[in-house]
Amino acid sequence: MNAPILPPGATTPPRPATEAMTTHAPGPLPGSLPSTFPGAALRARLRAALSPAWAARLWRAAAFLPALAFLATVLSPPFNHDVAAVLNFSERWLAGERLYADLIDVNPPLIFVLNLIPAAIAAWTPLEGPGALLACLVAFAALCWWLSARLRAGMEEGPIHAAFLTAGIPLAFLLPGYDFGQREVLMGTVAVPYALLAARRIAGLPTSRPLLLGTALLAAIGFALKPYFLAVPLLVEAAVLLCRVAFPPSLPRLVRALRDPVPWTMAAVWLLYLAAIPLLFPDYFGHVVPLVWKYYVDLGDLSLFSVLLEPRMAEVALLLVMVSTLCLLRRWGPQVLTLWAAAAGAFVSGWVQHKGWTYHAAPVLMLGLLTAALIAARWLDRVLAPAQARRLSWRLAALLCAGVFLVTVRGGEAPMREIHWSSERGGRLTAWLRQNAYGERLLVLTPDIFPIYPALNYANAQSTLRFMNLWLLQGTNNRCPESGERYNEPWEMSRAEFYVYRTVAEDFARAPPSAVLVTRHVGIPWCGREFDFIEYFSRHPLFAEAFSNYRAAGEIEGYRLFVRDE
């Protein structure tokens, strides 16, 4: 066969015109879907959705999932019992009863003053007390988150560092779960923007006067909730002063540091608060504090060593040791330093209370885990190339938040308490009270806080007892009477016991409530026979006469209900 004659300079023969006109695009590869297949468009959309920009958005959303999970826990019943009891007292105070005269409690007045806000909302709107307080608490956490974001502006933060703090701060605020709203948790929440402000002061960054003073005032209020909380600003301010004066030391630097308005603003708030207590609440120092010192402090008290053996305190002590070791081995920046100092102060404040309860450890967990995860984020920013750190920032922040979430829920109360609430003791008592005493006044004779609170709150019922519970009767009857009788006679009683004995009977007879709720569990030593609250108070003629008009209406979970005959 003869070879085709090629034009000058050509290397391949030209294709015939008819062949060029009939040439088609190559068909699909074997095993692939044709472009007309319905799933092809879906696959194209998925490829677009998994573009780097969309993947970053998904990881950003994933980083907030742990905080959202805790938010769902916080908004679900049950309400924390101590928080509910304080709210109940503030509602009664707003209704006209006198704090520390008609309402006797160990807590200083500031927490009751703050609870007047949700109490007023519940009184003047359709929202009930627990819902009003939850709304206020979530708004407070949101405010501290916003302040934290403002105070981070201009700080040296790597991409992973910045992404983690954005999602990790709200997670730290919500991770206490059931203890959300406790004074320790409020302190831990306000400590975060305060620590970030302290970091700005160490770095020498300018801060607007409203932001600086607003944060200082909010922090002063949070730390004034309990005197123990002053350990937090003490250690943080020591860290600030040390960094600003000692590196390098000089007299002009000391003078500039002492002119800082933050510590003086907080000190002024504390002094004004301390001076206002005897003026506005004279019965607190004159009547309540002596009772607390003599009868309440030793209830459930542990030694400083024993409290470290309590499971939750032991966990946070180990966490603080690990964080402290990392902070001492290497410098991680002013934000890590001030958060670490705040965590150490929170640990001291919980330790010296000698109780070791879960909410005493809560602020250490909040601040300690936030500090530990921030150290990890800063380490990742250092070891990764800048471009890689930017690309992976939200993915790694999501993993750090997931780690904080898993550490917190492991063995914790949340979310199991919320899941099983309706079928457990507290939920059954709540349903029973809502059915039998909704919106009523009750005389509640029990040493318990939980589950009486929040059951009373959910039933919209009010206790008529001057105390949240009968802790004072427990404290005055912690040993058997010397006479060998089951109860002290009135002339044998201490002044504190006689005060309870007299006021319960007189208040009950003067304004009989709709029902009386009495527990079988009294928390008082067995002396020949069990201590019975009805038998004890019925020795007073006023109580006995008034109680004769009540009949037994039922019993649940060891609580007996007596209702007044119409």
Side-chain angles (χ1 to χ4, degrees):
M1 182 174 181
N2 295 328
I5 300 174
L6 302 178
T11 57
T12 57
R15 181 173 296 175
T18 55
E19 183 180 350
M21 292 177 62
T22 58
T23 300
H24 300 283
L29 295 175
S32 65
L33 296 175
S35 60
T36 57
F37 189 77
L42 177 61
R43 293 174 62 190
R45 292 192 186 97
L46 288 175
R47 281 196 298 270
L50 294 177
S51 66
W54 273 101
R57 292 188 183 97
L58 290 175
W59 281 112
R60 184 190 296 263
F64 286 95
L65 286 179
L68 291 175
F70 274 115
L71 179 61
T73 298
V74 163
L75 297 178
S76 302
F79 206 43
N80 181 270
H81 52 280
D82 289 330
V83 177
V86 170
L87 174 63
N88 186 271
F89 258 40
S90 291
E91 290 174 331
R92 294 172 62 182
W93 184 21
L94 186 67
E97 297 184 63
R98 298 167 299 165
L99 188 62
Y100 302 124
D102 303 322
L103 303 168
I104 311 299
D105 189 63
V106 301
N107 291 311
L110 181 57
I111 190 62
F112 296 110
V113 174
L114 295 176
N115 270 267
L116 287 176
I117 300 173
I121 294 173
W124 302 332
T125 70
L127 202 60
E128 293 188 348
L133 182 52
L134 275 176
C136 291
L137 291 173
V138 172
F140 172 72
L143 172 63
C144 290
W145 186 23
W146 177 77
L147 286 173
S148 300
R150 292 285 305 277
L151 292 164
R152 290 171 50 207
M155 292 293 295
E156 181 185 353
E157 295 182 355
I160 303 171
H161 175 155
F164 169 71
L165 279 186
T166 302
I169 287 176
L171 173 60
F173 293 163
L174 297 167
L175 65 82
Y178 176 71
D179 288 327
F180 187 71
Q182 284 276 11
R183 285 169 296 164
E184 277 76 4
V185 175
L186 298 179
M187 179 270 285
T189 300
V190 80
V192 173
Y194 166 67
L196 295 176
L197 175 60
R200 291 183 70 86
R201 293 157 58 205
I202 291 174
L205 293 178
T207 305
S208 68
R209 184 68 53 160
L211 181 60
L212 184 143
L213 293 180
T215 304
L217 287 171
L218 191 66
I221 293 171
F223 297 136
L225 290 171
K226 279 187 178 183
Y228 307 104
F229 296 167
L230 296 181
V232 176
L234 179 64
L235 291 184
V236 172
E237 291 303 320
V240 172
L241 189 62
L242 184 65
C243 290
R244 297 178 70 178
V245 174
F247 302 108
S250 68
L251 183 59
R253 292 168 64 92
L254 176 61
V255 172
R256 285 196 299 271
L258 293 178
R259 289 177 179 171
D260 191 329
V262 172
W264 302 114
T265 300
M266 294 194 299
V269 171
W270 297 330
L271 289 175
L272 286 173
Y273 173 50
L274 189 62
I277 293 177
L279 294 176
L280 302 178
F281 308 98
D283 288 327
Y284 182 70
F285 285 128
H287 179 52
V288 175
V289 170
L291 292 177
V292 172
W293 189 258
K294 188 171 184 179
Y295 298 108
Y296 179 80
V297 172
D298 293 333
L299 287 176
D301 214 20
L302 300 171
S303 68
L304 284 175
F305 177 75
S306 298
V307 74
L308 293 178
L309 302 180
E310 292 296 301
R312 207 57 169 174
M313 287 299 292
E315 290 177 3
V316 296
L318 179 60
L319 171 64
L320 185 61
V321 168
M322 295 170 61
V323 172
S324 300
T325 302
L326 293 173
C327 290
L328 292 172
L329 289 176
R330 189 170 186 176
R331 292 186 181 180
W332 298 100
Q335 290 180 342
V336 170
L337 175 63
T338 53
L339 286 170
W340 170 43
F347 177 79
V348 172
S349 73
W351 187 23
V352 297
Q353 293 185 65
H354 294 261
K355 305 294 184 184
W357 295 334
T358 57
Y359 62 83
H360 292 144
V364 192
L365 195 67
M366 297 165 63
L367 297 165
L369 287 177
L370 187 63
T371 308
L374 183 57
I375 290 174
R378 289 188 63 83
W379 178 78
L380 289 169
D381 275 324
R382 289 179 180 179
V383 299
L384 295 177
Q388 189 180 23
R390 286 192 297 271
R391 181 170 57 85
L392 298 176
S393 59
W394 280 104
R395 184 178 307 184
L396 294 173
L399 293 176
L400 288 172
C401 288
V404 171
F405 176 83
L406 293 175
V407 169
T408 305
V409 300
R410 180 196 57 79
E413 293 182 331
M416 302 311 298
R417 183 191 285 262
E418 288 74 18
I419 292 173
H420 299 295
W421 164 250
S422 60
S423 61
E424 290 186 341
R425 180 188 180 202
R428 290 195 294 268
L429 179 62
T430 297
W432 192 58
L433 287 179
R434 288 177 68 92
Q435 180 180 357
N436 294 281
Y438 185 84
E440 301 289 353
R441 296 172 62 251
L442 287 84
L443 173 62
V444 182
L445 300 177
T446 176
D448 303 330
I449 292 291
F450 181 86
I452 292 299
Y453 302 97
L456 288 179
N457 305 73
Y458 287 135
N460 199 26
Q462 289 291 357
S463 170
T464 62
L465 193 67
R466 297 194 182 197
F467 306 86
M468 290 183 181
N469 63 355
L470 289 174
W471 63 267
L472 187 53
L473 202 59
Q474 279 184 297
T476 57
N477 285 270
N478 57 359
R479 58 177 58 90
C480 297
E482 296 180 359
S483 63
E485 299 295 328
R486 170 61 275 199
Y487 309 112
N488 289 317
E489 294 296 336
W491 56 86
E492 297 174 325
M493 296 178 182
S494 64
R495 291 183 62 185
E497 181 181 2
F498 186 72
Y499 176 79
V500 178
Y501 177 76
R502 177 182 61 81
T503 56
V504 168
E506 291 176 355
D507 293 346
F508 181 58
R510 182 175 59 254
S514 300
V516 179
L517 186 67
V518 190
T519 183
R520 292 189 182 276
H521 166 70
V522 294
I524 294 174
W526 188 88
C527 300
R529 68 179 191 273
E530 286 289 351
F531 195 104
D532 184 279
F533 288 130
I534 296 296
E535 185 179 54
Y536 173 84
F537 287 109
S538 291
R539 298 178 305 150
H540 196 294
L542 290 177
F543 187 95
E545 181 181 358
F547 191 72
S548 64
N549 298 317
Y550 289 77
R551 58 179 175 80
E555 180 174 345
I556 186 173
E557 299 294 334
Y559 292 93
R560 295 174 290 167
L561 184 68
F562 299 86
V563 297
R564 191 176 63 201
D565 292 325
E566 298 297 337

